[in-house]
Amino acid sequence: MPSLPPAAHDALNPSEVRLVMDRRGSTVWDVTTADGRYAVKAGYPIEATEHWSAQPWTAHAPGREAAVLAAMNTPVTTGTWASGTWNAQPWHEGPDLQQLWERYRLPGSAEPIRMDAALECARALADLHARGWAHGDVQPAHFILGLDKTHLIDLALTAGPDVPADVDFPYRGCLVHYEAPEISRSVLETGTAMPTQAADVYALGASLLMAARGRRYVVYPDDASRADQRTEVVHGVRRSINVEGPLHPLLTAMLAYTPRGRPTITEVVEELTGAHAGQSRSAARGMFPGSV
Ligand SMILES: Nc1ncnc2c1ncn2[C@@H]1O[C@H](COP(=O)(O)OP(=O)(O)OP(=O)(O)O)[C@@H](O)[C@H]1O
Ligand SMILES: [Mg+2]
């Protein structure tokens, strides 16, 4: 089992350490200390295999994320370890969007989708956009819906006004299920792309569809290579958006092929605010299940 980078251990003096995940280029721990709870992330390079080429940038991701968090005034500690960089950031307790919406994906579920969580996620992304940043890696697992606040995590690829050159590295796209066509096209043609707020809006639309229905928007086999997935995102078949109510036209607009066809995140928040208010009125009249 991987253990905390020694410098992170020394900086935090933990009373409890729990491994959260360890996969391709990154390890995350949930660390309890006398001062509170932290997420510690350590990056290391991905070696080449027959399925993918080497990806040295993953070693630098926690260091880059620390710089973005610091620019957002989030308390963060960072350093290096034998294989790369690490950071320690505040731990956010709560389910992520994919976990929270599991009940909508159960076979036979016809439960109307509550707008409150969708609105929370859109507001979290709107906060980031309002400061002039683009997240670059929006996906359902990156929204943690805490009791106090919804947090948009994993700022390792976030682009904006203030990333110091010594921690920066080129953006090579994100999880392809959530990648906008113009990003996929650029990665296919040049190997890199530029995160944008319009691509984030597409990714939020794809995330809401995935969390609600468990379906990728673009059709490709589960075992398709990254390049084949991106080719389908650029040229391939889109699925129907199988959600009802106000979410249907909103997701249709957010998932528009061209960036200019998509609403801004401010417009998304406005639409969801109206939809949420409508559900609350229906709930008050006993027409919608659950208190909203
Ligand atoms: N600040 C945090 N608070 C709570 N949990 C966190 C936090 N940061 C990360 N995690 C947990 O660790 C997981 C991985 O974190 P993150 O996405 O930031 O790392 P990653 O290396 O980019 O992984 P991935 O390749 O899956 O995106 C998250 O999905 C979440 O479960
Ligand atoms: Mg991540």
Side-chain angles (χ1 to χ4, degrees):
M1 195 155 98
S3 45
L4 276 187
H9 194 280
D10 288 352
L12 295 173
N13 192 20
S15 55
E16 219 179 301
V17 176
R18 181 176 67 89
L19 181 67
V20 177
M21 60 146 246
D22 179 32
R23 64 178 174 223
R24 293 192 56 208
S26 170
T27 312
V28 179
W29 296 265
D30 168 8
V31 175
T32 307
T33 77
D35 301 330
R37 222 164 138 191
Y38 298 87
V40 174
K41 296 173 63 171
Y44 54 92
I46 296 177
E47 309 288 341
T49 71
E50 57 177 307
H51 301 294
W52 57 72
S53 52
Q55 292 181 58
W57 64 268
T58 47
H60 305 292
R64 188 181 187 285
E65 182 181 36
V68 176
L69 287 166
M72 309 268 171
N73 296 320
T74 301
V76 61
T77 311
T78 185
T80 55
W81 66 295
S83 300
T85 59
W86 62 270
N87 75 50
Q89 55 183 278
W91 176 265
H92 305 303
E93 186 61 20
D96 65 38
L97 182 66
Q98 192 73 6
Q99 293 165 339
L100 189 74
W101 279 12
E102 192 185 355
R103 66 185 188 281
Y104 300 133
R105 304 192 301 274
L106 297 176
S109 166
E111 198 183 326
I113 296 164
R114 281 172 50 159
M115 291 296 132
D116 47 1
L119 177 56
E120 281 290 316
C121 294
R123 281 187 179 142
L125 184 57
D127 273 357
L128 191 80
H129 285 189
R131 298 176 196 215
W133 297 81
H135 186 276
D137 195 8
V138 169
Q139 49 177 281
H142 288 165
F143 293 100
I144 299 185
L145 292 111
L147 284 178
D148 56 331
K149 191 173 178 235
T150 293
H151 300 273
L152 178 50
I153 62 162
D154 198 354
L155 303 178
L157 305 179
T158 296
D162 217 1
V163 181
D166 60 333
V167 299
D168 207 2
F169 52 81
Y171 178 64
R172 295 181 179 81
C174 57
L175 201 53
V176 185
H177 315 333
Y178 309 104
E179 209 169 82
E182 69 276 12
I183 301 285
S184 291
R185 182 189 296 276
S186 173
V187 174
L188 284 172
E189 287 175 357
T190 69
T192 64
M194 205 43 211
T196 64
Q197 296 186 347
D200 280 352
V201 167
Y202 177 101
L204 178 61
S207 297
L208 292 169
L209 183 65
M210 173 62 83
R213 294 292 177 247
R215 302 211 306 191
R216 297 190 287 262
Y217 182 44
V218 176
V219 178
Y220 43 75
D222 289 344
D223 61 353
S225 69
R226 293 279 168 89
D228 288 349
Q229 292 177 17
R230 290 195 164 105
T231 302
E232 293 307 315
V233 171
V234 175
H235 300 292
V237 175
R238 269 96 188 109
R239 290 201 167 94
S240 60
I241 296 171
N242 58 339
V243 294
E244 301 74 38
L247 209 47
H248 188 274
L250 182 61
L251 291 192
T252 305
M254 292 170 77
L255 290 164
Y257 191 87
T258 54
R260 271 184 302 175
R262 297 174 206 143
T264 64
I265 195 65
T266 310
E267 291 164 340
V268 172
V269 168
E270 275 168 20
E271 282 296 317
L272 287 170
T273 302
H276 178 48
Q279 280 188 343
S280 300
R281 283 193 299 274
S282 301
R285 293 199 302 268
M287 291 163 59
F288 187 78
S291 59
V292 184

PDB file of all heavy atoms in Angstrom, residues 4 13-18 30-33:
ATOM      1  N   LEU A   4       2.137   7.928   2.544  1.00  0.00           N
ATOM      2  CA  LEU A   4       2.228   9.376   2.331  1.00  0.00           C
ATOM      3  C   LEU A   4       3.657   9.794   2.010  1.00  0.00           C
ATOM      4  O   LEU A   4       4.597   9.271   2.615  1.00  0.00           O
ATOM      5  CB  LEU A   4       1.844  10.116   3.617  1.00  0.00           C
ATOM      6  CG  LEU A   4       0.406  10.400   3.971  1.00  0.00           C
ATOM      7  CD1 LEU A   4       0.386  11.293   5.218  1.00  0.00           C
ATOM      8  CD2 LEU A   4      -0.321  11.097   2.840  1.00  0.00           C
ATOM      9  N   ASN A  13       1.629  15.908  10.325  1.00  0.00           N
ATOM     10  CA  ASN A  13       1.631  15.150  11.574  1.00  0.00           C
ATOM     11  C   ASN A  13       0.271  14.451  11.815  1.00  0.00           C
ATOM     12  O   ASN A  13      -0.439  14.746  12.782  1.00  0.00           O
ATOM     13  CB  ASN A  13       1.976  16.100  12.737  1.00  0.00           C
ATOM     14  CG  ASN A  13       2.279  15.337  14.003  1.00  0.00           C
ATOM     15  OD1 ASN A  13       2.599  14.138  13.938  1.00  0.00           O
ATOM     16  ND2 ASN A  13       2.143  15.985  15.147  1.00  0.00           N
ATOM     17  N   PRO A  14      -0.091  13.516  10.942  1.00  0.00           N
ATOM     18  CA  PRO A  14      -1.457  12.952  10.971  1.00  0.00           C
ATOM     19  C   PRO A  14      -1.718  12.037  12.157  1.00  0.00           C
ATOM     20  O   PRO A  14      -0.811  11.357  12.642  1.00  0.00           O
ATOM     21  CB  PRO A  14      -1.536  12.132   9.676  1.00  0.00           C
ATOM     22  CG  PRO A  14      -0.166  12.035   9.135  1.00  0.00           C
ATOM     23  CD  PRO A  14       0.721  12.996   9.844  1.00  0.00           C
ATOM     24  N   SER A  15      -2.989  12.022  12.609  1.00  0.00           N
ATOM     25  CA  SER A  15      -3.395  11.032  13.602  1.00  0.00           C
ATOM     26  C   SER A  15      -4.032   9.833  12.909  1.00  0.00           C
ATOM     27  O   SER A  15      -4.105   8.744  13.468  1.00  0.00           O
ATOM     28  CB  SER A  15      -4.370  11.656  14.601  1.00  0.00           C
ATOM     29  OG  SER A  15      -5.466  12.218  13.920  1.00  0.00           O
ATOM     30  N   GLU A  16      -4.507  10.018  11.680  1.00  0.00           N
ATOM     31  CA  GLU A  16      -5.136   8.933  10.927  1.00  0.00           C
ATOM     32  C   GLU A  16      -4.916   9.176   9.441  1.00  0.00           C
ATOM     33  O   GLU A  16      -5.016  10.322   8.984  1.00  0.00           O
ATOM     34  CB  GLU A  16      -6.641   8.953  11.208  1.00  0.00           C
ATOM     35  CG  GLU A  16      -7.266   7.590  11.337  1.00  0.00           C
ATOM     36  CD  GLU A  16      -8.755   7.728  11.652  1.00  0.00           C
ATOM     37  OE1 GLU A  16      -9.078   8.351  12.701  1.00  0.00           O
ATOM     38  OE2 GLU A  16      -9.556   7.244  10.841  1.00  0.00           O
ATOM     39  N   VAL A  17      -4.613   8.112   8.699  1.00  0.00           N
ATOM     40  CA  VAL A  17      -4.407   8.226   7.251  1.00  0.00           C
ATOM     41  C   VAL A  17      -5.192   7.114   6.567  1.00  0.00           C
ATOM     42  O   VAL A  17      -5.060   5.948   6.923  1.00  0.00           O
ATOM     43  CB  VAL A  17      -2.905   8.082   6.887  1.00  0.00           C
ATOM     44  CG1 VAL A  17      -2.711   8.115   5.370  1.00  0.00           C
ATOM     45  CG2 VAL A  17      -2.075   9.180   7.544  1.00  0.00           C
ATOM     46  N   ARG A  18      -6.026   7.480   5.594  1.00  0.00           N
ATOM     47  CA  ARG A  18      -6.818   6.482   4.854  1.00  0.00           C
ATOM     48  C   ARG A  18      -6.535   6.662   3.359  1.00  0.00           C
ATOM     49  O   ARG A  18      -6.655   7.771   2.830  1.00  0.00           O
ATOM     50  CB  ARG A  18      -8.307   6.713   5.137  1.00  0.00           C
ATOM     51  CG  ARG A  18      -9.238   5.737   4.451  1.00  0.00           C
ATOM     52  CD  ARG A  18     -10.679   5.997   4.873  1.00  0.00           C
ATOM     53  NE  ARG A  18     -11.193   7.274   4.389  1.00  0.00           N
ATOM     54  CZ  ARG A  18     -11.797   7.454   3.212  1.00  0.00           C
ATOM     55  NH1 ARG A  18     -11.974   6.413   2.390  1.00  0.00           N
ATOM     56  NH2 ARG A  18     -12.233   8.642   2.839  1.00  0.00           N
ATOM     57  N   ASP A  30      -7.025  10.460   2.610  1.00  0.00           N
ATOM     58  CA  ASP A  30      -7.846  11.259   3.530  1.00  0.00           C
ATOM     59  C   ASP A  30      -7.071  11.284   4.846  1.00  0.00           C
ATOM     60  O   ASP A  30      -6.859  10.233   5.475  1.00  0.00           O
ATOM     61  CB  ASP A  30      -9.206  10.546   3.674  1.00  0.00           C
ATOM     62  CG  ASP A  30     -10.057  11.090   4.801  1.00  0.00           C
ATOM     63  OD1 ASP A  30      -9.700  12.098   5.399  1.00  0.00           O
ATOM     64  OD2 ASP A  30     -11.111  10.453   5.073  1.00  0.00           O
ATOM     65  N   VAL A  31      -6.602  12.475   5.245  1.00  0.00           N
ATOM     66  CA  VAL A  31      -5.663  12.593   6.368  1.00  0.00           C
ATOM     67  C   VAL A  31      -6.294  13.414   7.495  1.00  0.00           C
ATOM     68  O   VAL A  31      -6.703  14.558   7.284  1.00  0.00           O
ATOM     69  CB  VAL A  31      -4.349  13.263   5.889  1.00  0.00           C
ATOM     70  CG1 VAL A  31      -3.409  13.499   7.061  1.00  0.00           C
ATOM     71  CG2 VAL A  31      -3.671  12.391   4.832  1.00  0.00           C
ATOM     72  N   THR A  32      -6.368  12.822   8.676  1.00  0.00           N
ATOM     73  CA  THR A  32      -6.891  13.530   9.848  1.00  0.00           C
ATOM     74  C   THR A  32      -5.722  14.031  10.690  1.00  0.00           C
ATOM     75  O   THR A  32      -4.776  13.279  10.946  1.00  0.00           O
ATOM     76  CB  THR A  32      -7.776  12.594  10.685  1.00  0.00           C
ATOM     77  OG1 THR A  32      -8.755  12.020   9.826  1.00  0.00           O
ATOM     78  CG2 THR A  32      -8.472  13.333  11.820  1.00  0.00           C
ATOM     79  N   THR A  33      -5.802  15.298  11.085  1.00  0.00           N
ATOM     80  CA  THR A  33      -4.766  15.879  11.944  1.00  0.00           C
ATOM     81  C   THR A  33      -5.446  16.617  13.096  1.00  0.00           C
ATOM     82  O   THR A  33      -6.668  16.782  13.093  1.00  0.00           O
ATOM     83  CB  THR A  33      -3.881  16.894  11.178  1.00  0.00           C
ATOM     84  OG1 THR A  33      -4.625  18.112  11.037  1.00  0.00           O
ATOM     85  CG2 THR A  33      -3.480  16.383   9.802  1.00  0.00           C
TER      86      THR A  33
END
